[in-house]
Amino acid sequence: MAEKETSPIKVLRDRHGGMSDKLKAYFKDQNQIRKKMKDSLKGGAKTVPEIARDTGLESPDVMWHVMAMKRYGDVLEAGRSGDYYKYELKGDS
Amino acid sequence: MGELKNRYDVLVIGGGIAGMQASLDLGEQGYKVLLVEKDPSIGGIMVGLNKVFPTLDCSSCICTPRMAETAHHRNITIQSYTEIEKVEKKGRGFSVKLLEKPRYVVLEDCIGCSLCEYECPVDVPHEYDYDLGARRAIYIPHANAIPQVAVLDVEHCTFCGKCVKVCPTDCIDYTQEARHLDLEVGAVVVASGTTITPMGAKKEYGGDKLANVMNPLAMERVQSSNGPYGHILRPSDGKVPKSIAYVQCAGSRDKTLGISYCSRVCCMYALKQAILTKAYGDVDITIYHMDIRAFGKGFEQFYRRAMNDGINIVKAKVAKITEDEEKNPIVRIEMIDDDGRVEEVKHDLVILSQGLVPKWHPDGQLPAEEDTDGFFRIPDSKIHPTVSTTDGIFIAGVAAGPKDIPDAIIEAGSAAMEAAIYLESGKGAPVAV
C-alpha cells in the first residue's frame, strides 16, 4: 500500500521496463497520422478515400483511424457521397 | 459475483453460453460453482454476435440476461481474467491451480464509467471487433461486459498516469501483480468453447493479406448496431458494399487443413448474414458452396427464405481469391454444376465461412483426453455425450465438437446433470463452502 501511495506509475513502469521501442514508434505514428487526418478534415467533411488522397496515407489505415476517432468522439458522420459516408471533425477536436 | 473461497463443488471452465448454462443448472441445484473465464468478461462468442439463426433474435439480448443471472447467482462465483494452470485428480476430487492476471483496476471499486478509457491517449485494435475497431490501452471490454470493469493492457500503456487522475473512485492500482490461486473442487465441467480456423490458413484465399476478405465473426461485429463501423462497410475504404460473396467450407471439410469434419453452423450463419445484409438495401449477395447443410428445426425454411429474398446460392468451389488495384476481391470459381465452367467474379467484399476448431488444448493442464480432431474425446458419445475420458470431468458445448447455440445449451444442461449425479453418487467430493 505504501508503494502505491508513493509512486504507483513508477512501480508499473519499472516492472515493465518502461515503454518499449515498438510502442514508442506506434504511438508516434498514431499521433502523426491523426495530425494529418485532422488537417485534412479542417477543409471540410470527406470520405475515407478523399482523406487518403489528401494525406497520402493508405486507405485501410485511414479507415481504421477514422473509426477510432468516431468511437471516441473526434469525428462525426456527415452524410453520404455516393457509396461512401463522409466524416467531419467534431467542433472541439 | 462472490468472494473467492478455496473449495467448491464444481469448477466450470469457460464463461461462454455453455459454461454459464452449466453453472446456472448446478447453482440452481444448490451446488457451489466456481466459473473461471480467461477473458476480462464472461459471455464468450455469443455476446458479440449480431443475431441468431433461424429466428433472427438479437444475440446479445438473449445472452446478456444469462450473463447477469450468472453473475448475481448466490451459488456461483465468477473468476474472470484467469487462466487454468493445472487441474489434477486428488482423492475424490480435483486440485486446481489458477493464474489471475492483473487488471490494474480494483474490481470491487470500478464503476465502469469509462472516464479512464476516454482519457487514455493510445488507440489499439480491439480484439472484440476483430481488430476492425479501436479500444484504448485502458478499456471496458465491451458495452455488455460482465464484470463491467476496466482492464489495463500494460503492453500498450505509455505510463502517462492520465487514467488515475480522472478515476472518480480511485480504483486504478498500478501495483497489482498476477496472483496464483490454489483450490479444491469435487467435479469439473469444461466449456472452453471454440474459435475459427485462422484467416491465413488458406493461402489460396489470400492468406489474411487481402483487405476486403473478412472472417465471419468480424462480419457479425460489422452487422451489429454497436459494431466498429455502425454500418455495413468494407474495411479497405469504408465503401458501402454492393456485391458480397460468402465462400463456404473455407476451413472445414478440407483435408489440406487437417479439418475433415463439417463445422455444422457455417451454412446457417452465412445465410443469416446474407438475409440481414440484404435487408439493408441494394446489394447482391452470392453464396458459393459445395452443398447447403440445413438440418435443424426451421433451417430448411430459412434456406428457402434466403433464396426467396434473392440471395444467389451458387454450387461452385472457390479455387482462389486475389484482389485488383482497388482492393476488390476477385473470386475464381469452378462451377460444380454447369460442366465445371471456370469464372472470375469481382466482388466488393468476401466473407470466408471458416470452420470451428477447439479454443483450448489443455496440453497436460487437465487430465482429459483430446480426440483426433482436437476436441475433447467422448468415449461413449451415444449414451453419455458429455462424459470425458476421466471420472469427474464433463464436457459441455463446442469443447466436445462443433454445434450451434441451442445444442451447446442442451449439452451444458446434460453436463451439469452428469456432474450432479457424479457428486451425489459419492464418487466426487462435494464440499460445503
Side-chain angles (χ1 to χ4, degrees), chain B residues 62-334:
Chain B
I62 300 168
C63 191
T64 307
R66 269 287 186 256
M67 293 163 67
E69 195 181 347
T70 305
H72 294 125
H73 200 287
R74 68 191 182 284
N75 289 331
I76 300 172
T77 301
I78 295 174
Q79 184 67 35
S80 61
Y81 213 36
T82 297
E83 304 270 2
I84 300 290
E85 288 196 311
K86 191 86 175 170
V87 176
E88 286 180 297
K89 197 90 173 136
K90 183 183 176 188
R92 288 188 299 146
F94 295 86
S95 70
V96 178
K97 289 183 186 302
L98 304 175
L99 179 68
E100 184 186 51
K101 296 174 277 190
R103 286 175 179 267
Y104 303 102
V105 171
V106 178
L107 191 108
E108 295 77 14
D109 295 344
C110 178
I111 56 171
C113 66
S114 296
L115 286 175
C116 56
E117 182 171 357
Y118 276 82
E119 195 65 19
C120 177
V122 189
D123 285 334
V124 182
H126 198 339
E127 303 85 348
Y128 185 64
D129 287 332
Y130 298 89
D131 294 349
L132 296 176
R135 61 165 171 82
R136 293 272 161 84
I138 189 165
Y139 63 107
I140 302 287
H142 54 82
N144 298 321
I146 291 182
Q148 188 74 194
V149 170
V151 58
L152 173 64
D153 163 13
V154 76
E155 298 304 318
H156 287 96
C157 179
T158 62
F159 309 109
C160 66
K162 288 182 177 174
C163 51
V164 80
K165 286 179 188 152
V166 296
C167 178
T169 62
D170 194 24
C171 71
I172 295 168
D173 180 2
Y174 295 129
T175 67
Q176 276 187 0
E177 292 186 82
R179 199 162 60 118
H180 294 275
L181 306 165
D182 293 299
L183 46 99
E184 292 178 6
V185 300
V188 179
V189 174
V190 181
S192 48
T194 187
T195 186
I196 49 176
T197 49
M199 276 295 282
K202 295 284 283 182
K203 303 293 179 222
E204 57 271 45
Y205 292 171
D208 201 19
K209 291 188 168 59
L210 306 181
N212 292 315
V213 176
M214 289 172 60
N215 82 58
L217 293 174
M219 188 60 176
E220 290 286 333
R221 297 303 307 141
V222 167
Q223 288 190 318
S224 295
S225 53
N226 64 356
Y229 302 157
H231 304 281
I232 296 178
L233 307 175
R234 67 179 195 172
S236 75
D237 58 4
K239 182 183 180 185
V240 177
K242 297 293 183 195
S243 170
I244 299 177
Y246 284 83
V247 177
Q248 298 307 106
C249 300
S252 299
R253 304 169 70 191
D254 187 340
K255 288 183 179 173
T256 66
L257 297 176
I259 299 172
S260 55
Y261 55 84
C262 167
S263 288
R264 302 184 67 196
V265 294
C266 318
C267 288
M268 297 310 294
Y269 72 60
L271 289 167
K272 175 195 71 174
Q273 291 186 0
I275 287 169
L276 291 167
T277 304
K278 191 80 177 171
Y280 267 80
D282 181 23
V283 54
D284 285 324
I285 303 179
T286 303
I287 297 178
Y288 299 111
H289 70 102
M290 294 196 283
D291 51 54
I292 292 289
R293 298 189 168 184
F295 55 86
K297 188 175 181 181
F299 289 11
E300 180 67 18
Q301 293 90 325
F302 196 65
Y303 172 36
R304 291 185 183 282
R305 179 195 159 167
M307 289 192 285
N308 294 343
D309 282 356
I311 312 293
N312 307 307
I313 314 282
V314 176
K315 201 169 174 68
K317 186 66 188 160
V318 173
K320 193 174 185 180
I321 307 174
T322 54
E323 66 180 13
D324 65 14
E325 64 281 357
E326 292 174 336
K327 300 192 185 300
N328 298 303
I330 310 294
V331 179
R332 184 180 175 85
I333 58 169
E334 184 179 338

Side-chain angles (χ1 to χ4, degrees), chain B residues 6-79:
Chain B
N6 59 10
R7 304 181 86 190
Y8 291 87
D9 293 324
V10 184
L11 166 70
V12 174
I13 300 174
I17 189 65
M20 291 190 290
Q21 186 64 48
S23 299
L24 287 164
D25 288 347
L26 285 160
E28 281 297 293
Q29 294 179 71
Y31 295 105
K32 301 292 183 184
V33 176
L34 178 67
L35 173 57
V36 173
E37 167 57 50
K38 71 174 181 46
D39 288 337
S41 169
I42 59 171
I45 288 177
M46 187 180 174
V47 72
L49 300 180
N50 179 33
K51 310 267 186 186
V52 294
F53 59 76
T55 56
L56 300 183
D57 290 317
C58 162
S59 185
S60 68
C61 303
I62 300 168
C63 191
T64 307
R66 269 287 186 256
M67 293 163 67
E69 195 181 347
T70 305
H72 294 125
H73 200 287
R74 68 191 182 284
N75 289 331
I76 300 172
T77 301
I78 295 174
Q79 184 67 35

Side-chain angles (χ1 to χ4, degrees), chain A residues 8-9 12 15-16 18-19 23 26-27 30 34 48-49 59-60 63-64 67-68 70-72 77 83-85, chain B residues 104 117 121 123 125 131-136 154 157 174-177 229 231 235-240 242:
Chain A
I9 194 71
L12 187 68
R15 272 189 202 153
H16 293 273
M19 269 175 82
L23 179 58
Y26 177 87
F27 193 46
Q30 177 187 296
R34 294 296 168 87
V48 167
S59 178
M63 176 67 180
W64 189 83
M67 291 306 144
K70 185 163 83 107
R71 176 180 164 107
Y72 289 108
E77 262 180 32
D83 291 336
Y84 295 89
Y85 284 88
Chain B
Y104 303 102
E117 182 171 357
D123 285 334
D131 294 349
L132 296 176
R135 61 165 171 82
R136 293 272 161 84
V154 76
C157 179
Y174 295 129
T175 67
Q176 276 187 0
E177 292 186 82
Y229 302 157
H231 304 281
S236 75
D237 58 4
K239 182 183 180 185
V240 177
K242 297 293 183 195

Side-chain angles (χ1 to χ4, degrees), chain A residues 12-91:
Chain A
L12 187 68
R13 190 188 302 125
D14 290 348
R15 272 189 202 153
H16 293 273
M19 269 175 82
S20 67
D21 290 342
K22 191 176 163 188
L23 179 58
K24 281 178 191 165
Y26 177 87
F27 193 46
K28 188 177 169 190
D29 276 357
Q30 177 187 296
N31 289 340
Q32 288 175 344
I33 289 168
R34 294 296 168 87
K35 184 175 184 316
K36 284 182 185 176
M37 289 175 60
K38 284 182 178 180
D39 286 346
S40 171
L41 288 171
K42 280 175 187 165
K46 291 186 175 69
T47 65
V48 167
E50 286 168 347
I51 300 169
R53 273 196 297 276
D54 203 25
T55 58
L57 297 166
E58 291 289 326
S59 178
D61 292 340
V62 171
M63 176 67 180
W64 189 83
H65 282 280
V66 164
M67 291 306 144
M69 293 165 80
K70 185 163 83 107
R71 176 180 164 107
Y72 289 108
D74 290 332
V75 302
L76 306 172
E77 262 180 32
R80 265 175 81 160
S81 171
D83 291 336
Y84 295 89
Y85 284 88
K86 294 165 76 173
Y87 304 93
E88 65 183 6
L89 280 179
K90 196 178 167 189

